[in-house]
Amino acid sequence: MIEWGLTYAQLVTSYAILGGVYALTALGLSLIWGVMRAVNWAHGDLLMLGMYVAYWMVILSGADPLISALIAFCLLGGLGAILHLIAIEPVVEKPGGHEATLLTTLGISLVIQSIALILWSPSPRSYDNIYKSIYLEYAGIRTSLAEAIAFSLSLIAVFLVDQFMRRSRIGKAIRAVSQNPIGARVVGINVSRIRLLTFALGVGLAGVAGVLVSTFYPNIRPLAGYIWDIASYVVVIFAGLGSIYGVIFAGVAIGTIEGLGSIFFSNAFRNILTFSVFLLVLLLRPQGLFGKAMRRV
Amino acid sequence: MRILEVNDLDAGYEDLQVLWEVNMRVERGEIVSLLGSNGAGKTTTLRVIAGLIRPFRGKIVLKGREITGLPSHQRVALGLSLVPEGRQLFPMMTVMENLEMGAYTPRAREKLEDSLEWVFSLFPILRERRNQLAGTMSGGEQQMLSIGRALMSRPELLALDEPSMGLAPKLVIEIFRTLERMRKDGVTILLAEQNVKAALDISDRAYVLETGRIVIEGASSELALRDDVRRAYLGM
Ligand SMILES: Nc1ncnc2c1ncn2[C@@H]1O[C@H](COP(=O)(O)OP(=O)(O)O)[C@@H](O)[C@H]1O
Ligand SMILES: [Mg+2]
């Protein structure tokens, strides 16, 4: 009985740790949603590219994955900027433009997956690194150093983004555009530039998340992205807009719920529990657990 | 000296034309009213002037320079600000943060401290409320904040879209008095209003829009005496 309990605790811990990374991907999605009311269906695929950045850096140059995190932030940030100019900016201000982004980003998602399949084949990969061979143990629960680092760095990244949003001129402009795009334009903010920067930032964060998971994830493959889309969107809606720390809590909560789901249902059906919680939140508190109801002034 | 010129302006939304051959001018130091009943096209005119929508045809000239194709943020940098319909504040930011956002352009940021003192002297209530979230303030306070935020950009020309909307008569008088003080401080004012009496009282000249066309223009004091204006807009 005690052993069973431990196994469960172990499983839930692993998922809760994944939840930290969900928070990071969800943060990018919620920034993008806030600023341009666009849904980015390619977010998980961009995270997948982050995994490959780490993989190829290790294979080609032996670079430490933590250095790859910075490289992936820049590379994917740049790619994000290009994708924004192709898929979002041309449609977002047109009538029905927000709905159109569903299609354009889905298109980007398919293109990224196809190119990744052609370049890297469908077979899963992983790479050796020092972090996944070291284990930490607390009260009988073991986690690899890789997972602990992924969790802590995700939270640190979320914290840094929060500081950036509060203190920097661009961060304040991003908040202004999410709260009132017309207000932003009349104070002299170049709103299309802010959209570009926000999309690039969100995608860059997905790249970082990809690198962080890749250190312990055995399944680096071209179709690894979609699981992250689903989980991260559930986190975004669970947390609601406007609270960065809500995103952290919601990420870990959704991770934990997935862990519980994999115990009580089979692993394949763990999403059932996640979605049930998700529907419950939508019914009872549509602004999210932490989101303040957005009031138009 | 002419600060704004609007020439043969046609504008609207998608394929719906709202404005027809609108011509206006504003001289530096004036208060000019743009009057008209609901749906006449006042908001559309100000949106085109501020660069929030593109006109179908026609020209906007600011300080002798054509700005028709310029994006809105560059117009703010050139000294043209709009207090938009519905105030459009940042509801989850404090009064202070809203004012700081008003000084977003580099030119305005240099004068931030100075501008704050100026805005607080015009609207003392904003100093008291500086740590309150904009979304939690009363309608009148929000209108003052929206005007204050626009002043933070240090505009030479300030366009206001129905600042009296939804406010009690006493507050309207207070805000209009402040507009006169702003003019003394060197701000030229273009005021779109349905409150024709109050607007004619403080403005030098006025234009009247009807279904998207300018039908009357002239000195405000003369318009206030005209029978057609009195009957149609002053209820006499
Ligand atoms: N965003 C919009 N899309 C389509 N039509 C609009 C829009 N805004 C205003 N209109 C129409 O344009 C006309 C003029 O409106 P508006 O400029 O708001 O007038 P006013 O400010 O004088 O009340 C009205 O017929 C209105 O229905
Ligand atoms: Mg109007």
Side-chain angles (χ1 to χ4, degrees), chain B residues 196-222:
Chain B
V196 172
K197 182 170 186 328
L200 286 179
D201 274 352
I202 66 160
S203 57
D204 306 303
R205 289 185 306 111
Y207 295 86
V208 180
L209 268 176
E210 248 176 53
T211 56
R213 293 172 198 273
I214 303 271
V215 292
I216 304 172
E217 61 176 284
S220 300
S221 50
E222 284 165 25

Side-chain angles (χ1 to χ4, degrees), chain A residues 53-202:
Chain A
V53 168
Y55 174 83
W56 286 113
M57 288 298 292
V58 166
I59 300 297
L60 297 178
S61 71
D64 188 292
L66 298 185
I67 292 171
S68 301
L70 285 179
I71 293 170
F73 181 72
C74 300
L75 281 179
L76 281 147
L79 178 61
I82 295 167
L83 294 181
H84 174 80
L85 293 176
I86 298 172
I88 308 281
E89 194 62 26
V91 297
V92 74
E93 282 202 343
K94 302 258 156 62
H98 302 300
E99 292 77 11
T101 61
L102 283 167
L103 291 179
T104 54
T105 58
L106 184 64
I108 297 282
S109 164
L110 295 176
V111 170
I112 293 176
Q113 288 177 8
S114 310
I115 293 176
L117 280 168
I118 292 168
L119 289 179
W120 302 319
S121 88
S123 50
R125 306 165 192 240
S126 63
Y127 60 89
D128 281 327
N129 63 78
I130 178 148
Y131 305 112
K132 76 172 164 194
S133 54
I134 298 174
Y135 277 86
L136 311 171
E137 192 168 331
Y138 180 77
I141 298 170
R142 269 158 56 100
T143 65
S144 67
L145 182 58
E147 289 170 279
I149 288 177
F151 184 77
S152 341
L153 285 187
S154 292
L155 298 201
I156 288 172
V158 170
F159 173 78
L160 289 177
V161 171
D162 185 41
Q163 290 301 308
F164 173 74
M165 299 307 251
R166 282 172 202 277
R167 289 169 200 270
S168 74
R169 178 173 139 87
I170 291 174
K172 286 177 188 172
I174 290 176
R175 281 163 57 211
V177 176
S178 347
Q179 290 180 31
N180 194 324
I182 297 174
R185 289 182 70 177
V186 300
V187 299
I189 293 172
N190 181 346
V191 171
S192 63
R193 190 165 144 265
I194 292 299
R195 282 196 293 257
L196 176 75
L197 291 172
T198 306
F199 202 83
L201 173 64

Side-chain angles (χ1 to χ4, degrees), chain A residues 93-95 165-166 168-194 241-243 291-297, chain B residues 14 50-53 71-74 76-77 80-84 86-93 97-98 100-106 109 133-137 142 149 153:
Chain A
E93 282 202 343
K94 302 258 156 62
M165 299 307 251
R166 282 172 202 277
S168 74
R169 178 173 139 87
I170 291 174
K172 286 177 188 172
I174 290 176
R175 281 163 57 211
V177 176
S178 347
Q179 290 180 31
N180 194 324
I182 297 174
R185 289 182 70 177
V186 300
V187 299
I189 293 172
N190 181 346
V191 171
S192 63
R193 190 165 144 265
I194 292 299
L241 290 169
S243 160
K292 293 154 205 140
M294 268 286 211
R295 195 149 68 87
R296 268 283 148 130
V297 183
Chain B
E14 305 286 305
L52 297 178
I53 58 174
S72 49
H73 64 271
Q74 288 182 17
V76 178
L80 164 59
S81 277
L82 171 68
V83 177
R87 297 147 199 160
Q88 313 298 343
L89 297 170
F90 307 119
M92 321 267 274
M93 293 189 190
E97 289 174 312
N98 269 276
E100 282 167 7
M101 291 313 298
Y104 187 80
T105 64
R109 208 157 20 129
L133 288 183
T136 64
M137 296 199 304
Q142 288 189 3
R149 184 183 67 178
S153 74

Side-chain angles (χ1 to χ4, degrees), chain A residues 2 23 90 233 256 261:
Chain A
I2 289 176
Y233 270 113
T256 308

